[in-house]
Amino acid sequence: PVGLRGGKLYELPQKDDMPAMRWVSLVNSTPEPTGESKLYFLRVPPTARSVREAVAWTIEQEAADYQPAVET
């Protein structure tokens, strides 16, 4: 889906007094001058259960409302 291409959700579980942490990885839709696609990691709340939910959270939307038509 647009805006979620190559996305994965990663988790570092809670350990001792360190809280649980989650990140979503995304592939940049604009290739670098070399033709390579950059991979980005964004920290998201540990409550995020899917890539869609995590990405929607980064722009203050609900997962069901996150329906981008194009990537820029």
Side-chain angles (χ1 to χ4, degrees):
V2 173
L4 304 175
R5 186 172 60 92
K8 292 183 181 176
L9 197 57
Y10 297 90
E11 179 181 28
L12 180 63
Q14 180 178 348
K15 185 173 181 180
D16 301 324
D17 55 344
M18 289 289 295
M21 291 186 265
R22 288 206 174 169
W23 294 267
V24 63
S25 67
L26 298 168
V27 177
N28 189 348
S29 63
T30 305
E32 297 296 308
T34 61
E36 296 179 336
S37 295
K38 234 181 195 178
L39 185 63
Y40 287 92
F41 289 85
L42 304 172
R43 189 166 175 192
V44 296
T47 54
R49 300 287 177 220
S50 69
V51 171
R52 179 176 297 282
E53 185 178 340
V55 173
W57 177 86
T58 67
I59 57 171
E60 300 178 356
Q61 284 190 354
E62 295 294 321
D65 297 331
Y66 181 70
Q67 302 293 329
V70 296
E71 288 183 334
T72 60

